[in-house]
Amino acid sequence: MCLALPARIVALSDADHAVVDLGGVRKSINIALTPGVAVDDYVIVHVGHAIGQIDAEEAARTLALFAQLSAVPAEGALG
Amino acid sequence: MCLALPARIVALSDADHAVVDLGGVRKSINIALTPGVAVDDYVIVHVGHAIGQIDAEEAARTLALFAQLSAVPAEGALG
Amino acid sequence: MKYISEFRDGDLARQMAEALAREVQPERRYNFMEFCGGHTHAISRYGIAELLPPQVRMIHGPGCPVCVLPIGRVDQAIALALERGVMLCTYGDVMRVPASQSLSLMKAKARGADVRMVYSAADALKLAQDNPLREVVFLAIGFETTTPPTALVIREAARAQVKNFSVLANHVLTPAAVTHILNSPEVAQWGTVPLDGFVGPAHVSIVIGSAPYVPFAVGYRKPVVIAGFEPLDVMQAIRMLVAQVNEGRAEVENEFTRAVTPEGNRAAQAVVAEVFEHRESFEWRGLGVVPDSALRIRPAYAAFDAELKFDLTYTPVPDHKQCECGAILRGVKRPTDCKLFGTVCTPENPMGSCMVSSEGACAAHYSYGRFRDIPMVVETVAS
Amino acid sequence: MKYISEFRDGDLARQMAEALAREVQPERRYNFMEFCGGHTHAISRYGIAELLPPQVRMIHGPGCPVCVLPIGRVDQAIALALERGVMLCTYGDVMRVPASQSLSLMKAKARGADVRMVYSAADALKLAQDNPLREVVFLAIGFETTTPPTALVIREAARAQVKNFSVLANHVLTPAAVTHILNSPEVAQWGTVPLDGFVGPAHVSIVIGSAPYVPFAVGYRKPVVIAGFEPLDVMQAIRMLVAQVNEGRAEVENEFTRAVTPEGNRAAQAVVAEVFEHRESFEWRGLGVVPDSALRIRPAYAAFDAELKFDLTYTPVPDHKQCECGAILRGVKRPTDCKLFGTVCTPENPMGSCMVSSEGACAAHYSYGRFRDIPMVVETVAS
Amino acid sequence: MSIKKDYIRPLDFKNGRVDMNHGAGGRASAQLISELFARAFDNEFLRQGDDGARMPALPTGHELVMATDGHVISPLFFPGGDIGSLAVHGTVNDVAMMGATPLYLSASFILEEGFALADLQRIVHSMAAAARAAGVPVVTGDTKVVEQGKGDGVFISTTGVGAVPAGRRLSGSLAQVGDVILVSGTMGEHGVAVLSKRESLEFETAIESDSAALHTLVAALLAAVPEGAVRTLRDPTRGGLATTLNEIARQSSVGMMLEESAIPILPQVDAACELLGLDPLYMANEGKLIAVVDAAHAEAALAALQAHERGKAAARIGVVTEDPHRFVQMNTAFGGRRVVDWLSGEPLPRIC
Amino acid sequence: MSIKKDYIRPLDFKNGRVDMNHGAGGRASAQLISELFARAFDNEFLRQGDDGARMPALPTGHELVMATDGHVISPLFFPGGDIGSLAVHGTVNDVAMMGATPLYLSASFILEEGFALADLQRIVHSMAAAARAAGVPVVTGDTKVVEQGKGDGVFISTTGVGAVPAGRRLSGSLAQVGDVILVSGTMGEHGVAVLSKRESLEFETAIESDSAALHTLVAALLAAVPEGAVRTLRDPTRGGLATTLNEIARQSSVGMMLEESAIPILPQVDAACELLGLDPLYMANEGKLIAVVDAAHAEAALAALQAHERGKAAARIGVVTEDPHRFVQMNTAFGGRRVVDWLSGEPLPRIC
Ligand code: SF4
Ligand code: SF4
Ligand SMILES: [Mg+2]
Ligand SMILES: [Mg+2]
Ligand SMILES: [Mg+2]
Ligand SMILES: [Mg+2]
Ligand SMILES: [Mg+2]
Ligand SMILES: [Mg+2]
Ligand SMILES: [Mg+2]
Ligand SMILES: [Mg+2]
Ligand SMILES: [Mg+2]
Ligand SMILES: [Mg+2]
């Protein structure tokens, strides 16, 4: 549930606010729930608030997993 | 000053209100300032209130005076 | 329309004009002031000036409650509406009176003020009852004619314990203004305003009676004829004034006997006395500060006095520098003497209050009489 | 759009679909519930159902906060707006939720209620600060994802001492709902809802972490895979569930490692704990009264609790007689099992809440999947 | 699944209200159009169902005329009509005043959220009836919904298209010194009928709005005199007779001299204006015209007007004069003379 | 007294505001018209100064087309345009979609008391510039003023008149199974540009409204293929591509099958829609068209669109199918299939 999207922090406005970029669209959001985020971090934005952060390595790993699995079509069931 | 018009009382609504007729137009007015007015009396209406009454005899007398004066064009100055 | 149409009869008017032409003494000049805007309006709208002999000149007096409302008072109302968020109710005529900073109530409304035009003071009270969460202020203006309805509504608000209703009272008194004019240097000392008599107010006198004018006839030796507002009434009053002048009399005469008695409307006087008391002084636009010339709400009804409720202070504001309203209201100048007349100042953009109400001397002349300022050629060309 | 587009890749999807087709055991049936409306929406919008092998059936769960908001709660909000004159702010999705007497917040607005759509809880607080003379109530809904922003705004209102702001809180708890479903007779006793595993919530888990789902895996022997809301995430999660079933495992696995940790967002949990406490029970549309399944504002912030401020009492109201939302939210029925689906009940005139949000099972099927209910012939005729 | 009817739940014209969905352009908008507008206005052009309408070419030898008016009246319903019928008459008349035959209307509705569907239905039906009676179909339209507090129930902008014989010229700029000024009937009923229902002014009167389509009256008038004899036709709507005459005087750079006693005004209109401190010459009309006519043909023109049902009380009220100041003046019934100026400001009831 | 200029005090376009007088029909109304509208829109027809305008006959062999739209957009100014330019483009395009050459516009303004004259002036000038650029003059108009709280700054209803060759038929009802569906460019910019300036949604983007007149694009398209090959033209405004296609499907009783990957959408539009939980297929366009074209001529049609400045990103997005249910369906880029339904309700930002 709950529409939320990953967006990159492009500027910190004050302790509680930042500007994020999503595909060229910029919006001011509240970052009070994600203390310590920095410019270029990707946060997950929900109702105008960052509620979490994207772990870039994990994301890459997940994508690699997708690719790997689908690249081995002949090997049958997982695991 | 102060737009005010003679209108005929056609109905008493309550102690303080009556309906007047002016040339076929009817409007509810306040009659608290003219205690004792009755149906068919002509009152002088100002900002929705009767502020006075028309004395029919005096009105007739004034009109008669107009007529009389103008009917005697040759008699020169008044008095 | 009974009691109206008969007093507008054109045939009678023509005959009366002929009579008047015979009645004036050819060598004499008759300068009469019609105190009331109602008479000013009738003279302009019916073209009465056309029917008067050249010897008679009518001077427009200060008897228009819209015209004499000073800028500072309108400013108070605008501030209440714009800054204090009140719902400000007033009579339609007041909406366009110019105030400070090029504002008027109508322009304040366009800036977001909640300004309501009411037909009757009772409508303002009803608005207060219908909007219990809003402060509703009735901007009351008027001479003695209009004061009793305001008094009634204040009494009614008190009875019904309406907490969100108050009145910004600007009710002024006719006799004080007449006295002021008679005492003005132009009339009393310099004689630059020759005044041979007054056409007295019809509707004011319904309320206060004709008796209050006796001092002017007796003390100042000025004939007064109280006259109705229909055009035949006005013409008849002028004839009666001409007669007094011709005969050297100075009396209070009553042309409007069909509605005015010497003592006036006692019931109306009683409610006014219950709710209002005299102010020591009040500023009139054009006349300046006139002593004992207005009413204020009595302490017993203080809860309904917007001046107290909102702790208002009055700041007098001078009129537009070039506006001659003041001189016009005192009879010293005519509208066409003002440089702004018809150019910068028009009914759409009044610079002074005399251009607002159609009872104002400038507006009446602009709307009805302007053709008289220029030579007019009417040619009928068959085409 | 980084972290979005990559997870919608059509080529990968086709390959993954092929892999999944090979991975399912032909004779086996896999019944998985996607708890979240977000997954329901993704499945419908991207046409994921087309890509699943016939052995896999997805059951839509109750994870749509709009869908589970009971009528009685919407009624409270409407009454506040229509009868108490408050400015009622809420998220756009809530505007069309059907309430009693054929009303909704949108219809109440058309009847004069002051209802404002806000993008964020902070906007509601700002409206309160901008309109100090109005009472502003924020109708808050949502699962654990949406609760922290509400908690923040309440704390902020308290700090700024905003007197005219309060919150009608309807924040509910995911694990309680899952427990309720697992304990329901259809699942636990009769087996009419065969449940072989759950696709777990992505965004809820960002906040609460994956740990709270361990009891379902351990205690109820149900595999759980927490998955992102992009379509490849969903497909991958299904593959992971299929693997667990095939291997007889029942674990909590995390497909959404890029944003979900076992412990979740501690900062968000802290502000929620500061402002909210558990309610003993709360009514969910469809599920009925669920113990310990929602939050209420703590006494320390009572001044901002609209239920206390306006002394609201809750009156439960039954859903439309023929609406099957309840059964659909429990996974017992499908939208097309409802007689009203697509006829009386459409997104324009929703009869039940499942037809409101595009995350609702009925709306998602109506808007995206209806073609599947009928045999479709695509003919290309050269003309 | 069987094929479903388009709208299983018809609009609730009894208790329903306009909401924002009706203006969003989706299925709710389409339903409002099909269940109300399309049905009420039904004609072959509207039935095309596109974003515009296609109609046959104009009759040969004719030029195109176009006129538009926004209608924002309050109250929406008044004695003798409503905003719907008014929106038809107002625009049909503007086309007719060009000497043209009105052929087609378009209608743009701006609805306020919360407006009762029952009222909307009543207005649309009244509009459709007026269009049918006038023989001028509404061929295309548009509907928008604005939030409550950003509209006033309903606004209707109509545009009319008509055909005028290529040789015919009528304009406010063609009045000539010596021309005669005619009116087709009594002045001020529409304005007074509307004011009588204004909140806080309310008064009772038998006066009804004169709202009516005038194109057949125009046709009768133009048929009765040679081409060119009628210089100007204009309907004295907002601002009334006084303002409309001033417009013509300004456009043609002429003056006018009216005879007050010749201007037809119903006694009740006079009375209502007295009561409010207003002047009937500034009260709006919606079913009357002013004709400025070559003096040589004034009698024939007047007779033609009087012979038509809508022109029985037609009268000759004045003449066009030479006047660089372009004053409209009037000999008063009382025997004086005065300027009859433009309306200044709104006609507010006056206490002074 | 010398002859005075009409308005000694010109309107204060810097600090002035619309007040009720400007709509009362008197001298203040006349001043607003002469100092703003007449000056900005100036053309030979408007200069006639009457309540309607007279224009030449249509070119021979042509029929009449009429379309109208009310414009009520908020905010009034948005990236890429304003309500003034939009009011021109919106109606010019509806005329063009009939295959007609737009010739004339009328404009009805409904102003809210208190509206800044500076904003009004800016809007009117933008409207005049758009009309000039399109070569479609505003020949007649009307202005009303409503009280504060009964309007929303300014509403503009425009009506367009055009001429279409008598033999040409274009309609939403003429789509045939097998026809190809083209769009003239990227979808959704207008809707996103407007939302980006909505209070409480505000976000920054380089996206501008695509608001533009399309009649030359239409002319180029129609010239490139035989008469009859283009069945339907429609501009996907309110409700966007999805809703407009559903309208056509319903009118023609057909289905449609779209290819999601073929629909041109700017990345920023996609991103903004993601952010708000909206679908670009439902976002309004004001400078794009949908063409349903005989498959045999689809390539030529597409080439003609792409050769025009306004059609560079034109694309073939789907086909017309037989379907008694009149579903518009789409093969998703992801590889699935789904219905593309009518817009239901308003496109509200979604949290769920
Ligand atoms: S014309 Fe205007 S400025 Fe001059 S005196 Fe009269 S009101 Fe004042
Ligand atoms: S179709 Fe409507 S009535 Fe039926 S279950 Fe779904 S929401 Fe309820
Ligand atoms: Mg017009
Ligand atoms: Mg008109
Ligand atoms: Mg007209
Ligand atoms: Mg349209
Ligand atoms: Mg309203
Ligand atoms: Mg249109
Ligand atoms: Mg359009
Ligand atoms: Mg269109
Ligand atoms: Mg007009
Ligand atoms: Mg507004």
Side-chain angles (χ1 to χ4, degrees), chain B:
Chain B
M1 60 142 273
C2 309
L3 185 75
L5 291 157
R8 187 170 57 91
I9 294 192
V10 292
L12 300 171
S13 316
D14 61 40
D16 284 350
H17 296 87
V19 175
V20 293
D21 178 289
L22 174 74
V25 175
R26 287 175 181 220
K27 185 156 178 62
S28 173
I29 64 158
N30 184 304
I31 51 169
L33 297 169
T34 52
V37 291
V39 168
D40 281 340
D41 283 353
Y42 278 77
V43 289
I44 302 216
V45 182
H46 172 62
V47 296
H49 291 255
I51 57 163
Q53 241 178 294
I54 291 273
D55 180 324
E57 277 175 34
E58 286 294 339
R61 197 168 304 148
T62 303
L63 280 172
L65 190 67
F66 291 176
Q68 171 208 329
L69 290 171
S70 53
V72 200
E75 296 199 4
L78 257 175

Side-chain angles (χ1 to χ4, degrees), chain E residues 1-4 6-7 20-31 34 48-58 62-72 74 94 97-98 104-108 110 112 139-146 149-152 155-161 164-173 234-235 237-239 243 247 250-251 324-327 341-347, chain F residues 1-4 6-7 20-31 34 48-58 62-72 74 94 97-98 104-108 110 112 139-146 149-152 155-161 164-173 234-235 237-239 243 247 250-251 324-327 341-347:
Chain E
M1 192 174 92
S2 61
I3 297 176
K4 298 287 168 51
D6 275 340
Y7 309 109
M20 297 308 294
N21 292 334
H22 292 117
R27 211 186 258 114
S29 302
Q31 181 176 18
S34 85
Q48 295 163 0
D50 292 308
D51 280 3
R54 146 201 291 275
M55 282 79 59
L58 301 181
H62 281 69
E63 296 184 339
L64 185 69
V65 159
M66 218 177 150
T68 193
D69 263 324
H71 297 88
V72 299
S74 167
D94 275 349
M97 295 306 130
M98 304 293 293
Y104 312 110
L105 286 173
S106 69
S108 158
I110 297 175
E112 185 184 10
V139 297
T140 190
D142 183 63
T143 307
K144 296 291 190 305
V145 178
V146 294
K150 300 191 166 180
D152 195 17
F155 301 140
I156 309 177
S157 290
T158 46
T159 300
V161 156
V164 60
R168 183 175 292 165
R169 285 282 174 281
L170 289 174
S171 169
S173 60
R234 194 146 306 169
D235 52 341
T237 54
R238 261 189 312 184
T243 305
E247 284 170 15
R250 188 168 73 174
Q251 252 184 293
H325 296 276
R326 303 179 295 189
F327 281 139
D341 203 14
W342 294 72
L343 172 69
S344 68
E346 267 201 302
Chain F
M1 192 175 89
S2 61
I3 297 176
K4 298 286 168 54
D6 277 340
Y7 309 109
M20 297 307 294
N21 291 335
H22 292 117
R27 208 185 260 116
S29 302
Q31 182 176 16
S34 83
Q48 295 162 0
D50 291 309
D51 281 3
R54 144 200 293 276
M55 282 79 60
L58 301 182
H62 281 68
E63 295 185 340
L64 185 70
V65 160
M66 218 176 151
T68 195
D69 263 324
H71 298 87
V72 300
S74 167
D94 275 349
M97 296 306 130
M98 304 293 292
Y104 311 111
L105 287 173
S106 70
S108 159
I110 298 175
E112 185 184 8
V139 297
T140 189
D142 183 63
T143 307
K144 296 291 190 307
V145 178
V146 295
K150 300 192 166 178
D152 195 19
F155 301 140
I156 308 177
S157 291
T158 45
T159 300
V161 155
V164 62
R168 181 174 293 165
R169 284 283 175 280
L170 289 174
S171 170
S173 60
R234 192 145 310 167
D235 53 341
T237 53
R238 262 190 311 183
T243 305
E247 284 170 15
R250 186 168 75 175
Q251 251 183 293
H325 296 276
R326 304 179 295 189
F327 281 139
D341 203 14
W342 294 73
L343 173 68
S344 68
E346 266 201 304

Side-chain angles (χ1 to χ4, degrees), chain C residues 9-226:
Chain C
D9 186 281
D11 292 333
L12 264 181
R14 208 171 37 254
Q15 294 167 36
M16 220 184 263
E18 286 162 13
L20 186 56
R22 290 186 305 270
E23 288 157 10
V24 292
Q25 297 171 357
E27 71 295 348
R28 207 159 191 159
R29 290 291 167 277
Y30 302 83
N31 297 288
F32 301 134
M33 175 179 276
E34 85 271 7
F35 178 83
C36 270
H39 291 131
T40 307
H41 184 249
I43 289 169
S44 303
R45 176 165 174 184
Y46 295 98
I48 293 176
E50 310 281 291
L51 299 172
L52 298 182
Q55 290 85 350
V56 176
R57 179 193 159 207
M58 300 305 296
I59 299 163
H60 310 315
C64 162
V66 169
C67 302
V68 300
L69 185 67
I71 290 179
R73 286 269 153 187
V74 186
D75 284 353
Q76 286 182 326
I78 289 174
L80 279 177
L82 271 183
E83 287 156 31
R84 312 285 283 271
V86 311
M87 183 187 294
L88 196 111
C89 307
T90 194
Y91 295 126
D93 322 46
V94 184
M95 303 278 287
R96 286 190 290 143
V97 178
S100 297
Q101 296 172 310
S102 302
L103 280 178
S104 65
L105 282 165
M106 180 165 271
K107 288 192 175 138
K109 182 162 174 274
R111 283 183 151 67
D114 189 356
V115 179
R116 310 283 178 105
M117 199 240 341
V118 292
Y119 178 75
S120 153
D123 297 339
L125 179 58
K126 185 162 183 308
L127 278 170
Q129 290 170 312
D130 291 349
N131 295 276
L133 301 175
R134 298 287 306 277
E135 274 298 329
V136 176
V137 175
F138 176 54
L139 171 61
I141 67 154
F143 285 104
E144 291 88 340
T145 324
T146 318
T147 311
T150 305
L152 266 185
V153 85
I154 291 174
R155 204 170 65 181
E156 182 55 32
R159 281 186 188 157
Q161 303 193 330
V162 182
K163 301 265 177 257
N164 60 324
F165 177 76
S166 58
V167 173
L168 182 54
N170 296 281
H171 288 296
V172 289
L173 301 170
T174 309
V178 176
T179 307
H180 185 86
I181 287 169
L182 288 169
N183 288 340
S184 71
E186 291 96 341
V187 176
Q189 295 162 241
W190 313 331
T192 42
V193 180
L195 261 187
D196 301 311
F198 285 98
V199 179
H203 297 150
V204 163
S205 298
I206 290 173
V207 173
I208 67 171
S210 58
Y213 297 94
V214 173
F216 306 120
V218 174
Y220 293 83
R221 300 284 315 144
K222 298 291 180 191
V224 177
V225 176
I226 291 163

